[in-house]
Amino acid sequence: VVPPSADPDRGLAAEIEAINWYHTLDFGDGIVTPGFYDHRPIMHRYELPERLDGMRVLDIATFDGHWAFEFERRGAAELDLAPRIHAAMTEAERNRLFGAGFRLAHKHFKSNVRHVHCNVYDMTPERLGQFDLVHCGDLLLHLRDPMLALSRMREMTRGYALISDCIFPDLDRHDGAMMQYEGAINENIWWRFGAKALSRVIHDAGFDSVSELSRFRYGPRGAPPTMWHAVYRAAP
């Protein structure tokens, strides 16, 4: 929502309106980006420290940068498409540039956050170093190989990781840990995780301590909260 009166010359408003926003970002002075998701009402579910001074933080799959800028305020990518979908895309679709929202917000907030383009499977401490806090939100269901991605996150973590994703409680009705293969045919979703399965996958990727911090329903801004999410704290 960009009130015309908040930006007399309409310069910033025009820039915001030209971008397809995933995150809802508050630019101040009544200017809020029309993001598909608004994390502000659920921030308390993640149990972030009030201050992150002196901590090195990695935000994986940052997109418009909501989490990265929030971490900075507190002191402190490529799509994994199914081969058939990738083959059916046009050259323009395959080469679509992401990050316009991040770049505009980075400039507006005068941010010192450093953006690095890197496939999650290619992250290494040698390339990026290690981090006191690693954050990964709503990414694993979109990955062909979530175990490999989590293993890479484990290598990057010297403190702890906050990992959140969609869960499907119906899969927890069965004995054991269940996850369902979707194959990325529908909205680039490869997996449906039961909460037990997701916790076990995180643990098996190398995190010795995994605890569920919260579980709640969530959804696109303005729509009923129908999707279950779980937030895990994982430490080496």
PDB file of all heavy atoms in Angstrom, residues 5 33 41 43 49-50 61 66 74 78 80 85 133 144 186 189 234-235:
ATOM      1  N   SER A   5      -0.024  10.534  -0.860  1.00  0.00           N
ATOM      2  CA  SER A   5       0.432  11.675  -0.074  1.00  0.00           C
ATOM      3  C   SER A   5       1.763  11.418   0.612  1.00  0.00           C
ATOM      4  O   SER A   5       2.438  12.342   1.026  1.00  0.00           O
ATOM      5  CB  SER A   5      -0.618  12.026   0.990  1.00  0.00           C
ATOM      6  OG  SER A   5      -0.829  10.918   1.857  1.00  0.00           O
ATOM      7  N   THR A  33       5.335  -2.020   1.090  1.00  0.00           N
ATOM      8  CA  THR A  33       5.302  -2.721  -0.191  1.00  0.00           C
ATOM      9  C   THR A  33       4.159  -3.737  -0.215  1.00  0.00           C
ATOM     10  O   THR A  33       3.849  -4.360   0.803  1.00  0.00           O
ATOM     11  CB  THR A  33       6.632  -3.444  -0.457  1.00  0.00           C
ATOM     12  OG1 THR A  33       6.818  -4.484   0.509  1.00  0.00           O
ATOM     13  CG2 THR A  33       7.803  -2.476  -0.382  1.00  0.00           C
ATOM     14  N   PRO A  41       3.220  -9.878  11.414  1.00  0.00           N
ATOM     15  CA  PRO A  41       2.383 -10.354  12.527  1.00  0.00           C
ATOM     16  C   PRO A  41       2.882 -11.645  13.179  1.00  0.00           C
ATOM     17  O   PRO A  41       2.408 -11.999  14.260  1.00  0.00           O
ATOM     18  CB  PRO A  41       1.015 -10.587  11.851  1.00  0.00           C
ATOM     19  CG  PRO A  41       1.050  -9.801  10.589  1.00  0.00           C
ATOM     20  CD  PRO A  41       2.471  -9.855  10.145  1.00  0.00           C
ATOM     21  N   MET A  43       6.332 -12.461  13.586  1.00  0.00           N
ATOM     22  CA  MET A  43       7.755 -12.392  13.927  1.00  0.00           C
ATOM     23  C   MET A  43       8.057 -13.041  15.279  1.00  0.00           C
ATOM     24  O   MET A  43       9.094 -13.668  15.470  1.00  0.00           O
ATOM     25  CB  MET A  43       8.231 -10.937  13.923  1.00  0.00           C
ATOM     26  CG  MET A  43       8.328 -10.316  12.537  1.00  0.00           C
ATOM     27  SD  MET A  43       9.507 -11.148  11.463  1.00  0.00           S
ATOM     28  CE  MET A  43      11.033 -10.775  12.315  1.00  0.00           C
ATOM     29  N   PRO A  49      16.523 -13.182  18.925  1.00  0.00           N
ATOM     30  CA  PRO A  49      17.046 -12.308  19.971  1.00  0.00           C
ATOM     31  C   PRO A  49      16.724 -10.840  19.659  1.00  0.00           C
ATOM     32  O   PRO A  49      16.673 -10.450  18.491  1.00  0.00           O
ATOM     33  CB  PRO A  49      18.566 -12.547  19.912  1.00  0.00           C
ATOM     34  CG  PRO A  49      18.724 -13.852  19.209  1.00  0.00           C
ATOM     35  CD  PRO A  49      17.580 -13.945  18.244  1.00  0.00           C
ATOM     36  N   GLU A  50      16.476 -10.069  20.697  1.00  0.00           N
ATOM     37  CA  GLU A  50      16.198  -8.650  20.475  1.00  0.00           C
ATOM     38  C   GLU A  50      17.385  -7.951  19.827  1.00  0.00           C
ATOM     39  O   GLU A  50      17.216  -7.031  19.025  1.00  0.00           O
ATOM     40  CB  GLU A  50      15.853  -7.965  21.803  1.00  0.00           C
ATOM     41  CG  GLU A  50      14.452  -8.276  22.304  1.00  0.00           C
ATOM     42  CD  GLU A  50      13.373  -7.797  21.350  1.00  0.00           C
ATOM     43  OE1 GLU A  50      13.510  -6.687  20.801  1.00  0.00           O
ATOM     44  OE2 GLU A  50      12.394  -8.545  21.132  1.00  0.00           O
ATOM     45  N   ALA A  61      18.206 -17.628   0.562  1.00  0.00           N
ATOM     46  CA  ALA A  61      17.045 -17.347  -0.296  1.00  0.00           C
ATOM     47  C   ALA A  61      16.328 -16.089   0.179  1.00  0.00           C
ATOM     48  O   ALA A  61      15.138 -16.080   0.455  1.00  0.00           O
ATOM     49  CB  ALA A  61      16.097 -18.544  -0.341  1.00  0.00           C
ATOM     50  N   HIS A  66      13.348  -9.287   3.466  1.00  0.00           N
ATOM     51  CA  HIS A  66      12.689  -9.002   4.747  1.00  0.00           C
ATOM     52  C   HIS A  66      13.538  -9.453   5.919  1.00  0.00           C
ATOM     53  O   HIS A  66      13.776  -8.675   6.859  1.00  0.00           O
ATOM     54  CB  HIS A  66      11.319  -9.687   4.811  1.00  0.00           C
ATOM     55  CG  HIS A  66      10.786  -9.809   6.206  1.00  0.00           C
ATOM     56  ND1 HIS A  66      10.176  -8.759   6.864  1.00  0.00           N
ATOM     57  CD2 HIS A  66      10.796 -10.841   7.104  1.00  0.00           C
ATOM     58  CE1 HIS A  66       9.829  -9.132   8.085  1.00  0.00           C
ATOM     59  NE2 HIS A  66      10.190 -10.405   8.248  1.00  0.00           N
ATOM     60  N   ARG A  74      18.438  -5.429  13.935  1.00  0.00           N
ATOM     61  CA  ARG A  74      18.716  -5.899  15.288  1.00  0.00           C
ATOM     62  C   ARG A  74      20.212  -5.925  15.586  1.00  0.00           C
ATOM     63  O   ARG A  74      20.622  -6.427  16.636  1.00  0.00           O
ATOM     64  CB  ARG A  74      18.126  -7.299  15.489  1.00  0.00           C
ATOM     65  CG  ARG A  74      16.599  -7.319  15.413  1.00  0.00           C
ATOM     66  CD  ARG A  74      16.031  -8.715  15.526  1.00  0.00           C
ATOM     67  NE  ARG A  74      14.580  -8.698  15.337  1.00  0.00           N
ATOM     68  CZ  ARG A  74      13.702  -9.147  16.219  1.00  0.00           C
ATOM     69  NH1 ARG A  74      14.113  -9.678  17.366  1.00  0.00           N
ATOM     70  NH2 ARG A  74      12.418  -9.099  15.976  1.00  0.00           N
ATOM     71  N   GLU A  78      18.761 -18.973  -7.233  1.00  0.00           N
ATOM     72  CA  GLU A  78      18.252 -19.753  -8.376  1.00  0.00           C
ATOM     73  C   GLU A  78      17.067 -20.625  -7.973  1.00  0.00           C
ATOM     74  O   GLU A  78      16.940 -21.013  -6.829  1.00  0.00           O
ATOM     75  CB  GLU A  78      19.352 -20.665  -8.951  1.00  0.00           C
ATOM     76  CG  GLU A  78      20.546 -19.909  -9.528  1.00  0.00           C
ATOM     77  CD  GLU A  78      21.616 -20.874 -10.004  1.00  0.00           C
ATOM     78  OE1 GLU A  78      21.270 -21.984 -10.444  1.00  0.00           O
ATOM     79  OE2 GLU A  78      22.792 -20.509  -9.923  1.00  0.00           O
ATOM     80  N   ASP A  80      15.025 -24.284  -8.167  1.00  0.00           N
ATOM     81  CA  ASP A  80      15.293 -25.703  -8.389  1.00  0.00           C
ATOM     82  C   ASP A  80      14.095 -26.292  -9.127  1.00  0.00           C
ATOM     83  O   ASP A  80      13.200 -26.870  -8.532  1.00  0.00           O
ATOM     84  CB  ASP A  80      15.501 -26.406  -7.041  1.00  0.00           C
ATOM     85  CG  ASP A  80      16.448 -27.581  -7.160  1.00  0.00           C
ATOM     86  OD1 ASP A  80      16.842 -27.901  -8.298  1.00  0.00           O
ATOM     87  OD2 ASP A  80      16.798 -28.163  -6.128  1.00  0.00           O
ATOM     88  N   ILE A  85       9.770 -28.816 -16.613  1.00  0.00           N
ATOM     89  CA  ILE A  85       9.325 -27.422 -16.506  1.00  0.00           C
ATOM     90  C   ILE A  85      10.404 -26.493 -17.050  1.00  0.00           C
ATOM     91  O   ILE A  85      10.132 -25.550 -17.802  1.00  0.00           O
ATOM     92  CB  ILE A  85       8.994 -27.069 -15.048  1.00  0.00           C
ATOM     93  CG1 ILE A  85       7.779 -27.881 -14.578  1.00  0.00           C
ATOM     94  CG2 ILE A  85       8.723 -25.572 -14.896  1.00  0.00           C
ATOM     95  CD1 ILE A  85       7.418 -27.659 -13.132  1.00  0.00           C
ATOM     96  N   LEU A 133      24.405 -17.172  13.110  1.00  0.00           N
ATOM     97  CA  LEU A 133      22.988 -17.488  12.889  1.00  0.00           C
ATOM     98  C   LEU A 133      22.764 -17.691  11.401  1.00  0.00           C
ATOM     99  O   LEU A 133      23.111 -16.831  10.594  1.00  0.00           O
ATOM    100  CB  LEU A 133      22.095 -16.359  13.410  1.00  0.00           C
ATOM    101  CG  LEU A 133      20.598 -16.437  13.067  1.00  0.00           C
ATOM    102  CD1 LEU A 133      19.977 -17.727  13.583  1.00  0.00           C
ATOM    103  CD2 LEU A 133      19.858 -15.223  13.631  1.00  0.00           C
ATOM    104  N   ARG A 144      14.821 -29.939  -4.799  1.00  0.00           N
ATOM    105  CA  ARG A 144      14.873 -31.345  -5.176  1.00  0.00           C
ATOM    106  C   ARG A 144      15.607 -32.171  -4.115  1.00  0.00           C
ATOM    107  O   ARG A 144      15.245 -33.315  -3.846  1.00  0.00           O
ATOM    108  CB  ARG A 144      15.568 -31.486  -6.536  1.00  0.00           C
ATOM    109  CG  ARG A 144      15.690 -32.918  -7.045  1.00  0.00           C
ATOM    110  CD  ARG A 144      16.330 -32.939  -8.416  1.00  0.00           C
ATOM    111  NE  ARG A 144      17.629 -32.265  -8.410  1.00  0.00           N
ATOM    112  CZ  ARG A 144      18.330 -31.995  -9.512  1.00  0.00           C
ATOM    113  NH1 ARG A 144      17.832 -32.323 -10.696  1.00  0.00           N
ATOM    114  NH2 ARG A 144      19.496 -31.396  -9.440  1.00  0.00           N
ATOM    115  N   ASN A 186       3.627 -28.955  -9.387  1.00  0.00           N
ATOM    116  CA  ASN A 186       2.656 -27.967  -8.937  1.00  0.00           C
ATOM    117  C   ASN A 186       3.353 -26.848  -8.162  1.00  0.00           C
ATOM    118  O   ASN A 186       3.820 -27.054  -7.048  1.00  0.00           O
ATOM    119  CB  ASN A 186       1.602 -28.634  -8.050  1.00  0.00           C
ATOM    120  CG  ASN A 186       0.550 -27.663  -7.552  1.00  0.00           C
ATOM    121  OD1 ASN A 186       0.290 -26.649  -8.199  1.00  0.00           O
ATOM    122  ND2 ASN A 186      -0.035 -27.954  -6.415  1.00  0.00           N
ATOM    123  N   ILE A 189       6.803 -27.189  -6.107  1.00  0.00           N
ATOM    124  CA  ILE A 189       6.864 -27.839  -4.798  1.00  0.00           C
ATOM    125  C   ILE A 189       7.291 -29.292  -5.003  1.00  0.00           C
ATOM    126  O   ILE A 189       6.600 -30.074  -5.663  1.00  0.00           O
ATOM    127  CB  ILE A 189       5.503 -27.774  -4.080  1.00  0.00           C
ATOM    128  CG1 ILE A 189       5.148 -26.314  -3.772  1.00  0.00           C
ATOM    129  CG2 ILE A 189       5.524 -28.607  -2.796  1.00  0.00           C
ATOM    130  CD1 ILE A 189       3.766 -26.125  -3.196  1.00  0.00           C
ATOM    131  N   ALA A 234      18.107 -25.323  15.273  1.00  0.00           N
ATOM    132  CA  ALA A 234      19.020 -26.444  15.075  1.00  0.00           C
ATOM    133  C   ALA A 234      20.451 -25.995  15.361  1.00  0.00           C
ATOM    134  O   ALA A 234      20.884 -24.955  14.882  1.00  0.00           O
ATOM    135  CB  ALA A 234      18.909 -26.978  13.656  1.00  0.00           C
ATOM    136  N   ALA A 235      21.157 -26.781  16.134  1.00  0.00           N
ATOM    137  CA  ALA A 235      22.537 -26.452  16.494  1.00  0.00           C
ATOM    138  C   ALA A 235      23.447 -27.640  16.206  1.00  0.00           C
ATOM    139  O   ALA A 235      23.015 -28.789  16.337  1.00  0.00           O
ATOM    140  CB  ALA A 235      22.632 -26.047  17.958  1.00  0.00           C
TER     141      ALA A 235
END
